[in-house]
Amino acid sequence: MVQKYQSPVRVYKHPFELVMAAYERRFPTCHLIPIFVASDVVSEETSEDGSITKVERRCALDVDAPRLLKRIAGVDYVYFTQRNTLNRKERTLHIESHNETFSNRVIIHETCCYSVHPENEDWTCFEQTASLDIKSFFGFESTVEKIAMKQYAGSIKKGKEIIEYYLKELEDEGITHMPRWLPSSQTTAPVRPTSLCTSPCVFLALPVSPVVPTPILDADYIKRYLGDLTPLQESCLIRLRKWLQETHKGKIPKDEHILRFLRARDFNMDKAREILCQSLTWRKQHQVDYLLETWTSPQVLQDFYTGGWHHHDRDGRPLYILRLGHMDTKGLVRALGEESLLRHVLSINEEGLRRCEENTKVFGRPISCWTCLVDLEGLNMRHLWRPGVKALLRIIEVVEANYPETLGRLLILRAPRVFPVLWTLVSPFIDENTRKKFLIYAGNDYQGPGGLVDYIDKEIIPDFLGGECMCEVPEGGLIPKSMYRTPEELESEDVRLWTETIYQSSSIFKGAPHEILIEIIDASSVITWDFDVCKGDVVFNIYHSKRAPQPARKDPLGAHGITSPVGNNVQLIDKSWTLGQDYSMVESPLTCKEGESVQGSHITRWPGFYILQWKFVNMAACAATNMPRVDDVLATLQVSSHKCKVMYYTEVLGSADFRCVLLLLIFVKSAPLFSLLSSFSFLQHLA
């Protein structure tokens, strides 16, 4: 199985040329790298102008492996071939290495890159990625992988220290500057070629992308804002972030958010990517990113919801206090409905994320989760009202799916005798990792050693828990029945909140594409689309027809009304229609994989009817070009039971509206040029 790793970007706050001078001192051997025992130059060539030097080396490593494994393998040293290219003009050093020893059983490939920092030309960036593919190794595959992992982790930690050691050595010798390379016609002193070799201390060495991400995800940034991560955890974060950049068209969640999903799945890339994509689709569909700006809590929540933020705990985590025993859960459900309660809880979680970011800046260390204190005084059987428990379970389900690893600690105080009953109902819906963060105190046990003061400063313990700090959390109480709403009103409100989104969803089956019809009156109108592939792989097509494919209910949207028959899966193109005769394709087919987010537009050339189509595609079947007849049948049977799902939004801009938008974009993009021309004209007047 192929294992891939990518380190964060390391930043040396020194010019590229000085870093190269320090790098050169590591060879032919380095006392700071004990396992690097020898290196021989196989070939070396320099371009005519001296700007590029290519060096190939053969390096020997005394790998830290068990004696038995070395004896079985019949080797004392492991040999690597390394090809290095130094471009003095572009100020880059690219390093590629792969193993010679056991290359028929183990394939190790590494790519490293030194380059100039994109925002500061006097700083140098270093990136490193690696892949390991163990085909067979005398039955020691697992052992070899662990050894490789150990060497890789050690190289990441040690590599920066070695360069900094030699930079300090140069400084002690009075060398603090190295001249940049200039063409021979511009320099009087010959340029001495730099000796090149990548760090051969890495048993598994890997490449990094020569393109530095923006913003740079460097090691210092990770430690400052994300915390201490192992090299493999750093690699998972960087790779998942890169995948999101490639598939989500720039709409990338913050690194802290990505990291929460990785932690929730123990840094299993595939599992974390799956739940993260589902959550991103959910956030987009329900506009959760704008919840804090758009959601206003009803007055009944402001008066009777017994929860609120209260300072922070000893670790700097935001502290949320919930007086659940004083909450009239039945009254809240009867007065508001499930959806309003869910929106309120989601707004609390969004506020918690915002407070974590603020506290990270205030305390100067990563704070990615909050502490929740739940006071159960007053909890009784009326809190076990079935609709209330149902609403609670649904809230837990949504929060668990979309806010993993946001709860750092849950302190449950004054748990009464009825609490075990509630815990039995609720605990199966709570993730095991989350349950481990629960601390439960019965009666007044929280007041003694190991109690509340171990987690919260005495000065901010709320007054109702025996402290001296006034807490602004509402005391709750019973909601007047006059505020209750009828089941019909609650159902209508729940439906309104749940469907309050501009996006629609549809399932797509093999042989049953989903299609929507758009009628265009004026040519040169613009059809825009924004869709997410929630499940499976699809092909997106746009067709044009002079006549409607079938009668459809039209919405009164004016000259550019969008029409679509009712249903989750709609097929409009009749099977008797012939492509090129009854209708035509106006855009090249676009294949979209699961998890991708796609935006685009099409300028219509003719009036008539345009059909947007999402069609099921089997990527595996497409890749297999010479599949036997039997396998083809089996593949068809296997695929027929699967379906795809897309979430989409379409809009039509009239030609006049589009021209206005286009002119605005042209003005924005040409603003710097306009300012320059204005300045030039002003200077002419001064002259």
Side-chain angles (χ1 to χ4, degrees):
M1 180 177 178
V2 179
Q3 301 287 339
K4 295 184 178 181
Y5 312 96
Q6 182 166 343
S7 72
V9 179
R10 302 178 208 161
V11 178
Y12 301 99
K13 296 183 179 180
H14 299 277
F16 175 80
E17 290 72 21
L18 194 62
V19 172
M20 290 297 98
Y23 181 79
E24 182 180 358
R25 297 198 171 199
R26 299 167 57 174
F27 309 103
T29 59
C30 176
H31 69 280
L32 298 174
I33 314 175
I35 66 170
F36 176 33
V37 295
S39 63
D40 298 315
V41 176
V42 177
S43 64
E44 182 173 357
E45 60 180 84
T46 302
S47 61
E48 292 184 3
D49 62 357
S51 63
I52 299 176
T53 298
K54 297 181 179 180
V55 176
E56 181 176 336
R57 290 179 179 270
R58 189 169 187 263
C59 305
L61 308 181
D62 184 9
V63 178
D64 181 17
R67 183 184 297 269
L68 176 62
L69 182 58
K70 286 186 176 182
R71 188 171 296 178
I72 292 176
V75 297
D76 290 324
Y77 302 110
V78 173
Y79 291 92
F80 273 77
T81 296
Q82 300 169 340
R83 296 182 178 88
N84 314 297
T85 302
L86 173 65
N87 189 323
R88 299 179 180 84
K89 182 178 180 180
E90 301 293 335
R91 303 177 76 195
T92 60
L93 171 61
H94 293 280
I95 306 165
E96 291 189 7
S97 62
H98 62 86
N99 62 304
E100 291 182 9
T101 310
F102 308 125
S103 58
N104 61 331
R105 297 178 180 273
V106 180
I107 300 175
I108 302 168
H109 184 260
E110 177 185 48
T111 302
C112 304
C113 177
Y114 287 88
S115 60
V116 178
H117 194 289
E119 298 174 2
N120 190 329
E121 63 176 13
D122 290 329
W123 291 359
T124 304
C125 296
F126 173 76
E127 298 177 86
Q128 175 182 3
T129 61
S131 64
L132 169 67
D133 184 7
I134 302 178
K135 301 184 180 300
S136 64
F137 203 85
F138 315 106
F140 287 87
E141 290 81 6
S142 178
T143 303
V144 172
E145 184 174 338
K146 290 179 181 178
I147 293 171
M149 295 279 297
K150 179 180 178 182
Q151 298 291 347
Y152 179 74
S155 73
I156 290 179
K157 293 180 179 180
K158 194 71 175 176
K160 187 174 183 180
E161 297 175 4
I162 293 172
I163 291 293
E164 290 176 344
Y165 172 85
Y166 286 117
L167 285 169
K168 182 64 167 58
E169 189 176 80
L170 287 170
E171 183 181 353
D172 293 341
E173 296 174 8
I175 303 175
T176 58
H177 174 75
M178 297 292 290
R180 294 188 184 182
W181 178 87
L182 295 173
S184 56
S185 59
Q186 300 180 30
T187 180
T188 56
V191 178
R192 180 166 59 92
T194 302
S195 176
L196 302 177
C197 177
T198 189
S199 166
C201 68
V202 214
F203 176 56
L204 75 82
L206 233 144
V208 303
S209 167
V211 180
V212 180
T214 303
I216 289 181
L217 194 62
D218 61 54
D220 293 336
Y221 162 81
I222 290 175
K223 186 175 182 180
R224 169 66 178 81
Y225 292 99
L226 305 179
D228 292 327
L229 303 176
T230 68
L232 293 183
Q233 291 171 345
E234 292 174 348
S235 174
C236 288
L237 172 61
I238 295 168
R239 288 161 54 207
L240 182 52
R241 184 176 185 259
K242 183 178 179 182
W243 180 85
L244 289 170
Q245 288 173 330
E246 294 172 350
T247 59
H248 281 67
K249 314 303 180 189
K251 300 181 296 180
I252 309 301
K254 296 179 180 178
D255 297 321
E256 301 93 316
H257 195 71
I258 300 174
L259 191 58
R260 290 186 181 100
F261 285 85
L262 284 167
R263 284 174 172 151
R265 291 298 179 266
D266 296 323
F267 287 87
N268 183 304
M269 275 278 295
D270 294 334
K271 292 181 179 179
R273 180 169 55 195
E274 179 181 359
I275 62 172
L276 176 56
C277 287
Q278 292 174 356
S279 179
L280 292 177
T281 300
W282 171 83
R283 293 182 69 89
K284 181 176 181 179
Q285 182 175 11
H286 299 289
Q287 302 291 291
V288 178
D289 289 336
Y290 310 103
L291 190 61
L292 291 180
E293 292 78 20
T294 59
W295 168 252
T296 302
S297 298
Q299 190 62 43
V300 65
L301 277 174
Q302 299 177 30
D303 296 338
F304 293 96
Y305 190 86
T306 56
W309 295 99
H310 180 76
H311 300 282
H312 56 79
D313 68 4
R314 287 184 178 272
D315 296 322
R317 297 167 174 165
L319 175 63
Y320 190 83
I321 294 180
L322 181 65
R323 304 185 69 177
L324 186 59
H326 286 219
M327 186 180 292
D328 182 8
T329 53
K330 180 178 181 179
L332 288 174
V333 174
R334 293 291 299 274
L336 295 170
E338 281 189 23
E339 291 304 320
S340 290
L341 278 175
L342 176 59
R343 289 288 178 101
H344 185 64
V345 173
L346 295 181
S347 70
I348 292 171
N349 280 270
E350 290 296 307
E351 175 67 15
L353 295 177
R354 187 184 66 79
R355 287 174 178 261
C356 284
E357 291 183 15
E358 293 177 352
N359 285 17
T360 295
K361 298 175 183 177
V362 171
F363 292 96
R365 63 177 183 273
I367 295 173
S368 60
C369 53
W370 56 81
T371 293
C372 184
L373 187 155
V374 181
D375 179 23
L376 296 183
E377 183 189 47
L379 189 76
N380 53 47
M381 291 302 295
R382 67 183 173 85
H383 289 90
L384 302 182
W385 180 56
R386 185 179 181 84
V389 173
K390 175 177 171 289
L392 175 61
L393 294 179
R394 178 157 180 265
I395 289 172
I396 291 174
E397 181 184 16
V398 173
V399 170
E400 282 283 305
N402 298 286
Y403 298 92
E405 295 297 319
T406 53
L407 181 65
R409 184 180 295 116
L410 181 65
L411 302 170
I412 299 178
L413 308 184
R414 302 197 280 194
R417 293 182 179 180
V418 74
F419 173 72
V421 180
L422 179 63
W423 179 248
T424 302
L425 294 172
V426 171
S427 60
F429 295 87
I430 301 175
D431 183 77
E432 182 181 354
N433 291 333
T434 303
R435 291 201 301 266
K436 293 177 181 177
K437 301 172 183 177
F438 285 33
L439 297 174
I440 303 173
Y441 299 90
N444 293 321
D445 293 345
Y446 70 92
Q447 295 180 347
L452 196 57
V453 291
D454 286 359
Y455 306 103
I456 301 175
D457 288 334
K458 186 177 180 181
E459 294 77 15
I460 66 169
I461 293 179
D463 51 351
F464 60 84
L465 292 175
E468 299 178 356
C469 185
M470 295 298 294
C471 184
E472 297 181 357
V473 174
E475 294 186 3
L478 294 176
I479 298 176
K481 292 185 178 181
S482 60
M483 302 183 72
Y484 287 9
R485 302 167 75 178
T486 65
E488 291 76 17
E489 290 175 330
L490 292 175
E491 183 178 357
S492 175
E493 178 67 8
D494 284 349
V495 170
R496 184 187 71 81
L497 290 173
W498 179 250
T499 59
E500 198 175 67
T501 172
I502 61 174
Y503 292 91
Q504 300 181 54
S505 297
S506 179
S507 297
I508 302 161
F509 302 87
K510 187 174 186 289
H514 178 67
E515 297 163 343
I516 63 173
L517 185 65
I518 300 177
E519 183 178 2
I520 296 296
I521 305 300
D522 299 328
S524 301
S525 298
V526 180
I527 302 173
T528 66
W529 58 83
D530 176 5
F531 67 88
D532 289 65
V533 185
C534 307
K535 181 180 180 181
D537 303 316
V538 301
V539 171
F540 178 64
N541 291 297
I542 304 180
Y543 300 103
H544 172 262
S545 175
K546 294 181 180 180
R547 58 190 175 97
Q550 70 177 47
R553 178 179 59 83
K554 292 188 178 182
D555 296 328
L557 297 178
H560 305 287
I562 299 177
T563 66
S564 178
V566 179
N568 182 258
N569 179 270
V570 179
Q571 301 173 56
L572 301 173
I573 299 177
D574 193 276
K575 292 184 178 180
S576 64
W577 279 26
T578 302
L579 182 63
Q581 180 177 339
D582 299 291
Y583 66 108
S584 60
M585 182 180 293
V586 296
E587 289 276 356
S588 299
L590 178 64
T591 302
C592 310
K593 296 183 179 180
E594 180 176 325
E596 284 196 64
S597 179
V598 181
Q599 298 81 38
S601 61
H602 172 77
I603 302 176
T604 61
R605 297 178 60 185
W606 315 280
F609 299 90
Y610 287 79
I611 303 168
L612 275 59
Q613 180 194 75
W614 290 269
K615 191 175 182 180
F616 181 95
V617 60
N618 181 14
M619 301 298 289
C622 293
T625 55
N626 298 317
M627 184 180 294
R629 188 180 302 276
V630 175
D631 288 348
D632 201 2
V633 174
L634 292 176
T636 302
L637 292 174
Q638 181 181 9
V639 169
S640 62
S641 62
H642 289 74
K643 69 176 181 179
C644 301
K645 185 177 181 181
V646 295
M647 181 184 75
Y648 63 90
Y649 169 72
T650 61
E651 185 179 5
V652 177
L653 298 176
S655 57
D657 296 334
F658 176 69
R659 282 195 294 269
C660 291
V661 173
L662 189 60
L663 287 173
L664 179 61
L665 289 174
I666 292 173
F667 175 78
V668 171
K669 290 189 175 184
S670 62
L673 177 61
F674 180 77
S675 300
L676 181 61
L677 293 175
S678 300
S679 301
F680 180 70
S681 175
F682 177 68
L683 289 174
Q684 285 183 318
H685 286 301
L686 285 180

